[in-house]
Amino acid sequence: MTTEGPRLKLVSTATQAVHEGARASPLAAKLNPPMPTAFEIVRAEVGEKIFNAGSARLVLLRAPAGFGKTTVMLQVRHRFEEAGLPTAWLTLDRADNDVGRFLTVLAAALEPLVPGLARARAAPAGNLEELAFSVIDHVAAHPAPFALFLDDFEALQNPVALGMVNELIDQLPRGAQLIVGSRGAPELSLGRLRARGRLLEVEPAQLRFSVGEAEGFLRERRRLVLETEDIVRLHRSTEGWAAALWLASVSLEHRDDPGQFIAGFTGSNAAVVDYLVEDVLARQTEDVRGFLLRSSVLTVLNASLCNLVCRREDSAAMLRSLEQAHLFLIPLQPEGSGYRYHGMFAEFLRALLLRQYPDEVPGLHRSAARWFLGEGRPVPAIEHALAAGEVSTALPLLNEHAQALLDQGRMRLLSRWLDPLLECGLLDEHPMLQVVHAWAVCFARGPLAAAPLLERLEQRADPSEEVKAHRLAMKPLLMVLTDRTDEATELASALLGALPTHVSFVRGFLEIILANLAMIAGHYHEALRYADAARSHQPEHRSSFNFTLSEAAEAAVDLTQGRLRKALARLRLAVNAGTHDGGRTTNGNAMAGVLFAEALFEADQLEQAERLLAVYIPLIRHVGIPDQLILAHVVMARIVQDQGDADHALQLLAELEHLGHRDGLPRVVAGARLERVRMLVTEGRLGRARAEIDHCGDKALWARVSRSSLRANEVETLALTHARWAVQAGHAAEVVAELRAELDVAERAQRERRALTLRLVLAQAQYKLGERNRAMRLLAKAVCFGAAEGYVRAFLVEGPLLLVMLQDLRSGPTDLLDADGGAPIAFLDRLLRAPVAPLPQPTVAGAVLPPASAIDALTKKELQVLRLVAEGFSNDQIGERMFVAETTIRTHLRNINVKLDTRNRMEAVQVARRAGWLA
C-alpha cells in the first residue's frame, strides 16, 4: 500500500543530489517515488522473486489498480539500494505520450545513473532523434548495472515512446533492469523477451495477499481486533486484493461488530470499491466531502489551485489533513507541496460529483482554466476550458496556440481537442483551426482519416488565401500518401502556379510534393529543382518540417541514381534537422528516417538502421504511407533474418501484409509477398516460392509500378522476383533477354541502384547457363560500383549462388578489378568475409546432411554454442555462460549455419544430432 499514511523518505543519495534543485518543478514530482505508508507489510515472497531475477531485463508487475504494484516496487527498490545497486524512479502520466516530453523525463530519470546524460538533456528543444539516440547510446555504453522503476506505465500509449522503451530494454548493459508497474499488458516486445528468458512477469495472482499477509496487515499494521475466521472470510471475499483490504480496514476502524460487517462484504472488485468508498466518504464531514468532490476534477492538487477551484482559503490545511487521515491522497514531492488522488478514488469521486452536483462541474473546470491561464500554461488551460464547455475561452487559446502545437508535433492532443469541436460545428467559423485539425489527423491517424476532413473543408467558401492554400496543398498530399500519384502530379503542378507568393510554408510544402512526384516519374533533374526551391521558400522561422522533407526528397534521388554516400550525408542532416529549431515535426523525420534506415542498411550499418526502425515503425504503422510501410518492414525483416531470427522476419512481413489489407493498399500487400519470395528463393525452397509469386499482385498494379520510380519498388518488382526464382529453379534461359532489356532501360534512365541488382541477377543467370566470362564481367562491374559507393547488402541479399560467384571472381585474374587503387578487391574481400548461407544440399530423412569435414570446420567455441543451443539456452543465456556479448553468439550461430548448410539454430542442432556430434 502506498497511497495513504505518513511518508518515509526513500530516495537514493544520487537521486537526491539531482533533485535538490528540481523540487520546485513539475519534473520533481515524477522523479520522486511515492512515500511508503506506515501500514504496509513486507511482500517477502514476490520481493524475493524480483530481487533474484538478475537475468531479466524487464520485470513487469501487471495488475489492476489497488493490487499493491507500487508498494512492491518501492520495497524492491529499497532492497536494491541496500545492496548497493543504483536506482531511479519515474512515474508516468498521460502527458508523457508527447514524445519530446517523454524523452526529457526519461533522460532526467536516468541522469543520476548514467553519466553524460545531463549534456544530452541540455540539447536544444525539439531535437528528438538526437536526444533519443543519446539516451540509448549512453545507457548502452554504461559499464555498471542499475535499476530503473517506471510506475503507472499504462499511461504510456504513444507507439513511438513505446518503441523507445523497447530499444532501451534491448540496449541495457549487463545486470541492468527496468521494473515496470502497469494496469495492463504494455505494447512492448514481451513475447521476444519471454522467449529469451529476459522477462519476469508478476501477475495479479502473485500480488494478491495471502491469508497470512492479510492477517499481518489487519492485526499488526492496522491494529484491528479481529477473529481468525473473520480475517479468513474477509480474505476470501476480497480475494486478497490489497486495495479492498485497505478500504475494509478503514471502515472497520469504526465498527462495533466487525464480524457482521465482514459477513456482508461480498461482490466483484468494482462493487467492493463502490461500497467501501461510499462508506468511507459518508463518514466525512460535509466540508471534507465537498472538498474531495470538487477538487477531483484536478489531476494535480496544490493549495493555490484548490483555493480557486473550491472557493476557499484553507486548502493547504485541508490537504495536510486529508494526507494525515489517509484519504487516498498521494504526495507528489517529499515536502507535500503537491498531491494527487489515488486513481481509483479520483475516478469514484468524479463519477459521484457528476451524479450529485452536475451543474457545478463546468464552473470547477472554468476556475481551473483561469488558474492555469494565470500561470502561463495554455495546454492545461485549454484542457479545462473544453471540459467546462467554455468554447468561448478555448477557441481563442486554440487560435493562438494550435499552429505552434502542430509544429511541435502534438498531433494526438490536437486531434482529441478538435475532433468533438468539429463534430459539434464549433469550428465552422474558425477555418484555420479546421486546417490545423486536418493536418493533425493526417499525421496522427493517416491520410484515410484525414480525407473526410479535407472534403468538409472543400464544401465551404474560403475566407482567406492562407486557408485556401493549406486546403489545396493537402489534396495532392493525400493522393500521394494513398498511392494515387498519377492524379496528384497534374493537380500539384496547377496549384503551384496559382498559389499566392506570400504563403511560403504551403508553397514550400507543395514543392516538396512535386519533387517526390517528379522523382516517381523519373524526372530527376526536375525533382532536384523542386527540392531546391522548397528550401529557398522557407518562412522567416525556418520550418524544420519542410526542410527535412526537402532534404529527404533530394536524398531519395541520390539513392535512386546510386549515390549512396551522398544520400547518407544528406539524410543525416535531414533526421537531425531542427537542432536550433524547437518546432520539429516527428512525422517529417519519420519519413526521412525510413529512407535513412534503408541507406544505412545498404551500407551494412545494420545496428543503426535497426535502432532507427525501432523508433519509426510503430509510428508509420498508424499513418499508413505505402513506400515507408514497405521499406521499413522489409529492411527490418532483412536485419532480423541476418541475426538468425527467421520467425521474426516472417512476422514483420505478415504485419506488413495485414496493414496493406487494412488500408486498401495492394502495393503494400504485394511488397510483403515479394520479400517472402526472396527469402524462400535464397533458402532454396523453390516450390513454395513459385506458389507465393502467383499471389504477388495483378498485372495492372505492376504495369503501373513499371512506369514509375517508386522508392519501395525501385529494385523489388514482380518481374525481378520472378527472374530470381527462374535463375535458381533452372529456367535462367527464359529470363536472360528480359533482364538484359531491363538493365538497358535502367542504365539509360540513370537508375543505377536498380541497375546494380539487375546486373547481379543477370550475372547469376549467365553463370547458370555456363557463360562464365560474361557473368564475371558483369559481376566485376557490379563490384566496382559497389566499392565506389559503399553498397554491401545489395550483394549479400542475393543469396548463396552469388557467394560462389564472388569466390570464383576473387580466385581468378584480377584484371577486371584493378581500379581505384585496389578498392574493388578490398571490397570483394569484405563481401567474402560476410556470413552468407551456401546453397542447400540434398537431404536425408528431412535433415540436411553436413559435409564430412563440417565438424572439423567448427571451432571449439562454435561447438560449445551448438551444445548449449541443444540444451535449450537462449542467446543471452549462452552469452552469460561463455562470458561474451549476445552479438558474439549471433556471429557464432551465423558461422555455424554457413558451415553446416542450415537455415536456423534448431536445424543446426538437428543436423548435428543426426551426425552424432551431440551426446
Side-chain angles (χ1 to χ4, degrees):
M1 309 296 297
T2 63
T3 59
E4 301 82 16
R7 308 307 192 203
L8 300 175
K9 193 169 186 180
L10 184 60
V11 183
S12 71
T13 302
T15 307
Q16 249 183 330
V18 169
H19 295 167
E20 285 297 330
R23 286 176 178 164
S25 71
L27 186 59
K30 300 171 67 61
L31 302 181
N32 287 298
M35 297 297 102
T37 73
F39 304 120
E40 71 176 41
I41 65 169
V42 176
R43 306 302 309 277
E45 184 174 345
V46 66
E48 188 72 12
K49 185 174 184 178
I50 297 172
F51 185 78
N52 291 319
S55 62
R57 289 188 176 184
L58 174 64
V59 176
L60 174 62
L61 294 89
R62 180 179 59 82
F67 269 70
K69 301 183 293 295
T70 304
T71 295
V72 172
M73 291 167 70
L74 287 169
Q75 291 179 1
V76 170
R77 180 175 183 265
H78 182 54
R79 186 167 176 185
F80 279 163
E81 291 185 330
E82 287 184 330
L85 181 71
T87 70
W89 187 280
L90 175 58
T91 301
L92 297 166
D93 57 49
R94 191 170 61 181
D96 293 324
N97 285 292
D98 177 88
V99 177
R101 174 186 164 106
F102 173 71
L103 280 171
T104 300
V105 299
L106 179 64
L110 288 165
E111 191 175 313
L113 306 178
V114 181
L117 277 181
R119 291 189 299 275
R121 287 185 60 210
N127 191 3
L128 302 185
E129 284 72 26
E130 183 177 333
L131 179 56
F133 292 143
S134 180
V135 169
I136 299 300
D137 285 341
H138 280 87
V139 168
H142 188 61
F146 60 80
L148 173 62
F149 292 77
L150 300 178
D151 203 12
D152 294 347
F153 197 83
E154 69 277 358
L156 201 64
Q157 299 292 324
N158 186 305
V160 178
L162 291 167
M164 291 172 184
V165 175
N166 268 327
E167 182 66 11
L168 179 64
I169 293 169
D170 287 343
Q171 298 299 327
L172 287 174
R174 187 177 297 279
Q177 290 182 318
L178 256 64
I179 294 89
V180 168
S182 177
R183 293 190 183 184
E187 292 294 325
L188 299 176
S189 302
L190 301 183
R192 178 166 56 85
L193 291 169
R194 190 180 295 117
R196 295 179 176 180
R198 291 306 198 184
L199 173 66
L200 173 63
E201 296 174 272
V202 180
E203 298 183 337
Q206 298 165 280
L207 289 169
R208 297 183 193 279
F209 276 35
S210 66
V211 173
E213 287 174 326
E215 181 178 9
F217 170 69
L218 295 168
R219 284 180 173 168
E220 299 172 16
R221 297 296 182 182
R222 299 293 287 131
R223 305 292 184 185
L224 296 173
V225 179
L226 299 172
E227 299 295 330
T228 300
E229 56 267 30
D230 288 334
I231 293 174
V232 171
R233 188 181 299 121
L234 183 59
H235 178 268
R236 185 184 305 118
S237 64
T238 62
E239 300 182 37
W241 185 25
L245 288 168
W246 162 257
L247 292 170
S249 74
V250 173
S251 186
L252 285 166
E253 284 182 317
H254 308 285
R255 297 285 178 178
D256 294 331
D257 188 355
Q260 183 179 0
F261 169 80
I262 292 171
F265 188 70
T266 60
S268 66
N269 288 349
V272 168
V273 172
D274 284 350
Y275 178 83
L276 288 174
V277 175
E278 288 184 30
D279 185 66
V280 171
L281 196 64
R283 295 181 179 275
Q284 307 305 314
T285 66
E286 185 66 30
D287 185 46
V288 170
R289 284 199 301 272
F291 181 88
L292 290 170
L293 290 173
R294 291 172 178 86
S295 61
S296 68
V297 301
L298 305 171
T299 56
V300 176
L301 307 169
N302 64 55
S304 173
L305 177 57
C306 290
N307 279 340
L308 181 62
V309 171
C310 299
R311 298 182 181 180
R312 57 194 305 143
E313 300 296 330
D314 63 342
S315 293
M318 176 64 78
L319 289 169
R320 285 194 298 270
S321 174
L322 292 177
E323 183 186 10
Q324 292 167 2
H326 316 307
L327 279 175
F328 314 105
L329 200 64
I330 303 172
L332 296 176
Q333 300 180 30
E335 295 82 359
S337 58
Y339 302 87
R340 69 173 176 86
Y341 287 122
H342 184 280
M344 191 166 46
F345 190 54
E347 290 169 11
F348 166 78
L349 290 174
R350 285 191 287 268
L352 189 60
L353 175 67
L354 282 171
R355 288 200 302 269
Q356 293 188 359
Y357 306 110
D359 296 338
E360 288 191 33
V361 174
L364 297 170
H365 283 291
R366 194 179 302 120
S367 296
R370 190 165 67 252
W371 187 89
F372 283 111
L373 270 178
E375 294 291 311
R377 299 173 61 185
V379 172
I382 294 170
E383 188 80 56
H384 281 288
L386 290 172
E390 285 289 312
V391 179
S392 60
T393 300
L395 281 176
L397 290 172
L398 284 166
N399 276 318
E400 181 181 356
H401 298 285
Q403 290 187 63
L405 292 171
L406 188 66
D407 289 340
Q408 295 167 19
R410 305 292 294 272
M411 309 300 182
R412 294 177 183 274
L413 179 69
L414 287 167
S415 296
R416 180 167 59 83
W417 283 347
L418 296 175
D419 280 347
L421 295 180
L422 185 78
E423 292 171 6
C424 296
L426 295 173
L427 297 185
D428 288 349
E429 302 306 317
H430 300 271
M432 198 60 212
L433 284 181
Q434 292 185 54
V435 167
V436 170
H437 181 224
W439 283 112
V441 169
C442 183
F443 291 117
R445 303 203 296 270
L448 296 180
L453 303 178
L454 181 60
E455 292 175 6
R456 185 167 183 161
L457 278 168
E458 290 174 338
Q459 294 170 3
R460 60 171 296 131
D462 295 309
S464 72
E465 286 185 331
E466 185 178 11
V467 169
K468 182 178 180 179
H470 276 274
R471 189 203 74 189
L472 292 175
M474 286 193 69
K475 191 166 186 178
L477 170 66
L478 297 187
M479 289 178 176
V480 172
L481 297 184
T482 51
D483 233 9
R484 295 154 57 200
T485 53
D486 293 340
E487 301 172 63
T489 302
E490 185 176 348
L491 176 61
S493 299
L495 288 175
L496 185 62
L499 273 181
T501 57
H502 69 275
V503 191
S504 56
F505 174 85
V506 178
R507 188 175 189 85
F509 194 84
L510 198 54
E511 285 164 339
I512 291 166
I513 294 173
L514 284 166
N516 281 280
L517 290 169
M519 183 196 69
I520 290 169
H523 303 150
Y524 304 121
H525 291 298
E526 187 179 350
L528 295 176
R529 179 171 60 82
Y530 277 123
D532 274 340
R535 280 191 289 268
S536 69
H537 290 143
Q538 299 295 331
E540 289 182 13
H541 302 290
R542 188 175 78 175
S543 166
S544 64
F545 179 79
N546 276 357
F547 176 77
T548 295
L549 293 185
S550 62
E551 290 293 316
E554 187 156 345
V557 174
D558 289 332
L559 285 172
T560 299
Q561 297 190 319
R563 296 184 293 271
L564 179 58
R565 299 186 192 280
K566 185 178 178 183
L568 282 168
R570 194 172 292 282
L571 286 165
R572 279 195 181 90
L573 180 64
V575 298
N576 289 314
T579 301
H580 304 291
D581 179 0
R584 295 186 67 188
T585 305
T586 303
N587 283 13
N589 282 322
M591 295 176 190
V594 172
L595 284 177
F596 192 26
E598 180 196 12
L600 289 166
F601 174 80
E602 291 290 355
D604 205 30
Q605 299 178 38
L606 302 192
E607 184 178 352
Q608 191 175 355
E610 183 179 11
R611 288 167 57 191
L612 273 168
L613 293 175
V615 172
Y616 291 129
I617 281 179
L619 177 62
I620 62 174
R621 282 176 178 162
H622 289 268
V623 179
I625 302 170
D627 285 288
Q628 271 71 30
L629 283 172
I630 298 170
L631 282 173
H633 286 80
V634 167
V635 170
M636 184 65 106
R638 291 180 179 183
I639 291 171
V640 299
Q641 184 189 23
D642 181 73
Q643 296 168 350
D645 196 347
D647 289 341
H648 188 191
L650 291 172
Q651 179 184 344
L652 284 162
L653 298 178
E655 290 169 358
L656 176 62
E657 187 172 354
H658 165 73
L659 292 170
H661 286 302
R662 182 198 70 182
D663 295 339
L665 299 170
R667 186 160 64 93
V668 173
V669 175
R673 293 172 176 173
L674 289 184
E675 182 61 15
R676 270 202 297 269
V677 173
R678 189 201 62 80
M679 290 175 61
L680 291 167
V681 168
T682 58
E683 292 172 359
R685 302 161 76 181
L686 301 177
R688 287 190 58 187
R690 173 67 261 184
E692 188 78 29
I693 288 174
D694 294 335
H695 300 285
C696 284
D698 57 34
K699 292 181 179 178
L701 168 67
W702 291 109
R704 179 173 68 84
V705 171
S706 68
R707 297 192 302 269
S708 305
S709 182
L710 295 160
R711 186 68 242 149
N713 299 113
E714 178 59 21
V715 173
E716 301 301 333
T717 63
L718 180 60
L720 180 64
T721 298
H722 178 266
R724 280 195 182 112
W725 173 84
V727 169
Q728 303 298 338
H731 306 293
E734 299 175 10
V735 295
V736 166
E738 182 181 352
L739 286 169
R740 284 176 179 156
E742 286 286 334
L743 176 57
D744 182 58
V745 170
E747 289 177 333
R748 282 189 283 108
Q750 297 181 309
R751 296 170 69 176
E752 292 298 333
R753 174 60 189 88
R754 175 170 174 77
L756 172 61
T757 294
L758 287 168
R759 287 189 195 102
L760 296 177
V761 178
L762 178 56
Q764 292 177 76
Q766 292 173 331
Y767 199 76
K768 280 271 192 173
L769 294 172
E771 300 174 0
R772 180 187 176 281
N773 290 340
R774 288 183 177 182
M776 289 297 106
R777 283 196 296 271
L778 266 179
L779 185 57
K781 186 174 182 179
V783 168
C784 290
F785 178 80
E789 286 295 338
Y791 283 99
V792 175
R793 285 287 148 180
F795 293 83
L796 300 183
V797 299
E798 290 301 322
L801 175 59
L802 193 67
L803 173 63
V804 173
M805 294 173 61
L806 291 170
Q807 291 168 337
D808 191 355
L809 179 65
R810 185 66 179 92
S811 62
T814 61
D815 297 352
L816 296 173
L817 300 173
D818 286 338
D820 299 329
I825 295 177
F827 180 75
L828 179 54
D829 289 338
R830 176 183 176 183
L831 294 176
L832 291 172
R833 287 194 299 270
V836 178
L839 285 169
Q841 297 180 5
T843 61
V844 174
V848 179
L849 288 177
S853 60
I855 190 169
D856 297 326
L858 293 179
T859 66
K860 289 182 179 180
K861 286 190 175 181
E862 288 166 356
L863 281 170
Q864 185 181 359
V865 168
L866 195 56
R867 291 189 181 102
L868 291 171
V869 169
E871 293 176 25
F873 290 102
S874 67
N875 289 1
D876 283 348
Q877 292 168 330
I878 296 171
E880 288 178 357
R881 286 175 170 260
M882 295 179 64
F883 302 101
V884 296
E886 182 189 1
T887 54
T888 303
I889 300 303
R890 290 179 183 175
T891 300
H892 285 318
L893 287 170
R894 285 197 294 268
N895 292 339
I896 290 169
N897 285 330
V898 170
K899 293 174 181 179
L900 298 189
D901 192 14
T902 52
R903 292 181 293 247
N904 54 56
R905 52 191 277 149
M906 298 317 296
E907 189 173 290
V909 169
Q910 183 184 17
V911 167
R913 281 182 173 148
R914 287 179 179 271
W917 299 344
L918 300 177

Short mmCIF file of all heavy atoms in Angstrom, two decimals, residues 112-144:
data_model
loop_
_atom_site.label_atom_id
_atom_site.label_comp_id
_atom_site.label_asym_id
_atom_site.label_seq_id
_atom_site.Cartn_x
_atom_site.Cartn_y
_atom_site.Cartn_z
N PRO A 112 20.98 10.54 -12.93
CA PRO A 112 21.87 10.20 -11.81
C PRO A 112 22.55 8.85 -11.95
O PRO A 112 23.51 8.57 -11.25
CB PRO A 112 20.91 10.21 -10.60
CG PRO A 112 19.58 9.97 -11.17
CD PRO A 112 19.57 10.62 -12.51
N LEU A 113 22.06 8.02 -12.87
CA LEU A 113 22.62 6.68 -13.03
C LEU A 113 23.66 6.61 -14.13
O LEU A 113 24.61 5.83 -14.06
CB LEU A 113 21.50 5.67 -13.35
CG LEU A 113 20.32 5.61 -12.39
CD1 LEU A 113 19.31 4.59 -12.90
CD2 LEU A 113 20.79 5.25 -10.99
N VAL A 114 23.46 7.39 -15.19
CA VAL A 114 24.28 7.28 -16.40
C VAL A 114 24.98 8.60 -16.65
O VAL A 114 24.35 9.58 -17.04
CB VAL A 114 23.40 6.91 -17.61
CG1 VAL A 114 24.25 6.77 -18.86
CG2 VAL A 114 22.62 5.63 -17.34
N PRO A 115 26.26 8.67 -16.44
CA PRO A 115 27.00 9.93 -16.66
C PRO A 115 26.87 10.39 -18.10
O PRO A 115 26.81 9.60 -19.02
CB PRO A 115 28.45 9.54 -16.34
CG PRO A 115 28.35 8.32 -15.49
CD PRO A 115 27.12 7.59 -15.94
N GLY A 116 26.81 11.70 -18.28
CA GLY A 116 26.77 12.28 -19.61
C GLY A 116 25.39 12.66 -20.08
O GLY A 116 25.25 13.43 -21.03
N LEU A 117 24.34 12.15 -19.43
CA LEU A 117 23.00 12.47 -19.89
C LEU A 117 22.61 13.91 -19.58
O LEU A 117 21.69 14.44 -20.20
CB LEU A 117 21.98 11.51 -19.26
CG LEU A 117 21.84 10.18 -19.98
CD1 LEU A 117 20.80 9.32 -19.30
CD2 LEU A 117 21.47 10.39 -21.44
N ALA A 118 23.27 14.53 -18.64
CA ALA A 118 22.98 15.94 -18.36
C ALA A 118 23.23 16.78 -19.60
O ALA A 118 22.46 17.67 -19.94
CB ALA A 118 23.82 16.44 -17.19
N ARG A 119 24.32 16.47 -20.32
CA ARG A 119 24.61 17.22 -21.55
C ARG A 119 23.59 16.91 -22.62
O ARG A 119 23.21 17.78 -23.41
CB ARG A 119 26.01 16.87 -22.05
CG ARG A 119 27.12 17.40 -21.14
CD ARG A 119 28.49 17.21 -21.79
NE ARG A 119 28.78 15.81 -22.04
CZ ARG A 119 29.31 14.99 -21.12
NH1 ARG A 119 29.58 15.43 -19.91
NH2 ARG A 119 29.56 13.73 -21.42
N ALA A 120 23.13 15.65 -22.67
CA ALA A 120 22.12 15.30 -23.68
C ALA A 120 20.82 16.05 -23.43
O ALA A 120 20.18 16.54 -24.35
CB ALA A 120 21.86 13.78 -23.65
N ARG A 121 20.43 16.18 -22.17
CA ARG A 121 19.20 16.90 -21.85
C ARG A 121 19.32 18.37 -22.14
O ARG A 121 18.32 19.05 -22.37
CB ARG A 121 18.84 16.71 -20.37
CG ARG A 121 18.32 15.35 -20.01
CD ARG A 121 17.89 15.32 -18.53
NE ARG A 121 16.85 16.29 -18.32
CZ ARG A 121 16.67 16.93 -17.16
NH1 ARG A 121 17.49 16.74 -16.15
NH2 ARG A 121 15.69 17.80 -17.03
N ALA A 122 20.54 18.88 -22.14
CA ALA A 122 20.74 20.30 -22.38
C ALA A 122 20.69 20.64 -23.86
O ALA A 122 20.77 21.81 -24.24
CB ALA A 122 22.09 20.74 -21.81
N ALA A 123 20.56 19.60 -24.74
CA ALA A 123 20.50 19.87 -26.17
C ALA A 123 19.27 20.71 -26.48
O ALA A 123 18.28 20.68 -25.75
CB ALA A 123 20.43 18.55 -26.95
N PRO A 124 19.30 21.50 -27.56
CA PRO A 124 18.17 22.38 -27.88
C PRO A 124 16.87 21.60 -28.00
O PRO A 124 16.86 20.46 -28.47
CB PRO A 124 18.58 22.99 -29.22
CG PRO A 124 20.07 22.91 -29.23
CD PRO A 124 20.42 21.68 -28.48
N ALA A 125 15.78 22.22 -27.59
CA ALA A 125 14.47 21.57 -27.62
C ALA A 125 14.09 21.17 -29.03
O ALA A 125 14.40 21.85 -29.98
CB ALA A 125 13.41 22.52 -27.05
N GLY A 126 13.38 20.08 -29.13
CA GLY A 126 12.86 19.65 -30.41
C GLY A 126 13.74 18.67 -31.15
O GLY A 126 13.30 18.05 -32.10
N ASN A 127 15.02 18.53 -30.75
CA ASN A 127 15.90 17.61 -31.45
C ASN A 127 15.68 16.20 -30.91
O ASN A 127 16.50 15.65 -30.20
CB ASN A 127 17.35 18.06 -31.28
CG ASN A 127 18.27 17.30 -32.21
OD1 ASN A 127 17.83 16.48 -33.01
ND2 ASN A 127 19.54 17.57 -32.09
N LEU A 128 14.53 15.62 -31.25
CA LEU A 128 14.08 14.40 -30.59
C LEU A 128 14.98 13.22 -30.89
O LEU A 128 15.34 12.45 -29.99
CB LEU A 128 12.64 14.08 -31.01
CG LEU A 128 11.61 15.17 -30.71
CD1 LEU A 128 10.22 14.69 -31.07
CD2 LEU A 128 11.67 15.58 -29.24
N GLU A 129 15.33 13.04 -32.17
CA GLU A 129 16.13 11.87 -32.51
C GLU A 129 17.50 11.93 -31.85
O GLU A 129 18.02 10.93 -31.36
CB GLU A 129 16.28 11.75 -34.03
CG GLU A 129 15.02 11.22 -34.73
CD GLU A 129 13.92 12.26 -34.74
OE1 GLU A 129 14.25 13.47 -34.68
OE2 GLU A 129 12.74 11.88 -34.79
N GLU A 130 18.10 13.13 -31.85
CA GLU A 130 19.41 13.26 -31.22
C GLU A 130 19.34 12.91 -29.74
O GLU A 130 20.20 12.21 -29.21
CB GLU A 130 19.94 14.68 -31.40
CG GLU A 130 21.35 14.89 -30.83
CD GLU A 130 21.87 16.29 -31.10
OE1 GLU A 130 21.45 16.89 -32.09
OE2 GLU A 130 22.68 16.77 -30.29
N LEU A 131 18.29 13.40 -29.06
CA LEU A 131 18.13 13.09 -27.65
C LEU A 131 17.86 11.60 -27.45
O LEU A 131 18.43 10.97 -26.55
CB LEU A 131 16.99 13.92 -27.06
CG LEU A 131 16.69 13.69 -25.57
CD1 LEU A 131 17.93 13.91 -24.71
CD2 LEU A 131 15.55 14.60 -25.11
N ALA A 132 16.99 11.02 -28.31
CA ALA A 132 16.67 9.60 -28.18
C ALA A 132 17.91 8.74 -28.32
O ALA A 132 18.18 7.86 -27.49
CB ALA A 132 15.63 9.20 -29.23
N PHE A 133 18.69 9.00 -29.37
CA PHE A 133 19.87 8.17 -29.60
C PHE A 133 20.93 8.46 -28.54
O PHE A 133 21.69 7.55 -28.18
CB PHE A 133 20.42 8.42 -31.00
CG PHE A 133 19.51 7.94 -32.08
CD1 PHE A 133 19.37 8.63 -33.26
CD2 PHE A 133 18.78 6.76 -31.90
CE1 PHE A 133 18.52 8.17 -34.25
CE2 PHE A 133 17.93 6.30 -32.89
CZ PHE A 133 17.80 7.02 -34.07
N SER A 134 20.99 9.68 -28.04
CA SER A 134 21.96 9.99 -26.99
C SER A 134 21.63 9.21 -25.73
O SER A 134 22.52 8.65 -25.08
CB SER A 134 21.97 11.49 -26.71
OG SER A 134 22.91 11.79 -25.71
N VAL A 135 20.35 9.17 -25.37
CA VAL A 135 19.94 8.40 -24.19
C VAL A 135 20.30 6.93 -24.37
O VAL A 135 20.92 6.31 -23.49
CB VAL A 135 18.42 8.56 -23.95
CG1 VAL A 135 17.94 7.56 -22.90
CG2 VAL A 135 18.10 9.98 -23.50
N ILE A 136 19.93 6.36 -25.53
CA ILE A 136 20.19 4.94 -25.76
C ILE A 136 21.70 4.67 -25.78
O ILE A 136 22.18 3.70 -25.19
CB ILE A 136 19.55 4.49 -27.08
CG1 ILE A 136 18.02 4.67 -27.03
CG2 ILE A 136 19.89 3.04 -27.38
CD1 ILE A 136 17.34 3.90 -25.94
N ASP A 137 22.45 5.54 -26.47
CA ASP A 137 23.90 5.34 -26.56
C ASP A 137 24.55 5.38 -25.19
O ASP A 137 25.43 4.55 -24.87
CB ASP A 137 24.52 6.40 -27.46
CG ASP A 137 24.23 6.15 -28.93
OD1 ASP A 137 23.89 5.00 -29.27
OD2 ASP A 137 24.35 7.09 -29.72
N HIS A 138 24.18 6.36 -24.37
CA HIS A 138 24.78 6.47 -23.04
C HIS A 138 24.43 5.26 -22.18
O HIS A 138 25.27 4.75 -21.43
CB HIS A 138 24.32 7.76 -22.36
CG HIS A 138 25.07 8.99 -22.80
ND1 HIS A 138 24.70 9.73 -23.90
CD2 HIS A 138 26.18 9.59 -22.30
CE1 HIS A 138 25.54 10.72 -24.05
NE2 HIS A 138 26.45 10.67 -23.10
N VAL A 139 23.18 4.80 -22.27
CA VAL A 139 22.78 3.62 -21.50
C VAL A 139 23.55 2.39 -21.96
O VAL A 139 24.08 1.62 -21.16
CB VAL A 139 21.25 3.40 -21.63
CG1 VAL A 139 20.88 2.02 -21.07
CG2 VAL A 139 20.49 4.49 -20.90
N ALA A 140 23.63 2.20 -23.29
CA ALA A 140 24.31 1.02 -23.83
C ALA A 140 25.79 1.00 -23.45
O ALA A 140 26.36 -0.07 -23.24
CB ALA A 140 24.15 0.98 -25.35
N ALA A 141 26.39 2.18 -23.36
CA ALA A 141 27.82 2.26 -23.07
C ALA A 141 28.12 2.25 -21.58
O ALA A 141 29.28 2.16 -21.18
CB ALA A 141 28.41 3.53 -23.70
N HIS A 142 27.08 2.34 -20.75
CA HIS A 142 27.30 2.41 -19.30
C HIS A 142 27.84 1.07 -18.79
O HIS A 142 27.26 0.02 -19.07
CB HIS A 142 26.00 2.77 -18.60
CG HIS A 142 26.16 3.05 -17.14
ND1 HIS A 142 26.95 4.09 -16.68
CD2 HIS A 142 25.66 2.45 -16.04
CE1 HIS A 142 26.91 4.09 -15.36
NE2 HIS A 142 26.14 3.11 -14.95
N PRO A 143 28.90 1.06 -18.03
CA PRO A 143 29.53 -0.22 -17.67
C PRO A 143 28.93 -0.93 -16.47
O PRO A 143 29.27 -2.07 -16.21
CB PRO A 143 30.98 0.20 -17.38
CG PRO A 143 30.87 1.60 -16.85
CD PRO A 143 29.72 2.22 -17.61
N ALA A 144 28.06 -0.26 -15.72
CA ALA A 144 27.61 -0.82 -14.44
C ALA A 144 26.10 -1.07 -14.46
O ALA A 144 25.35 -0.39 -15.15
CB ALA A 144 27.95 0.14 -13.31
#
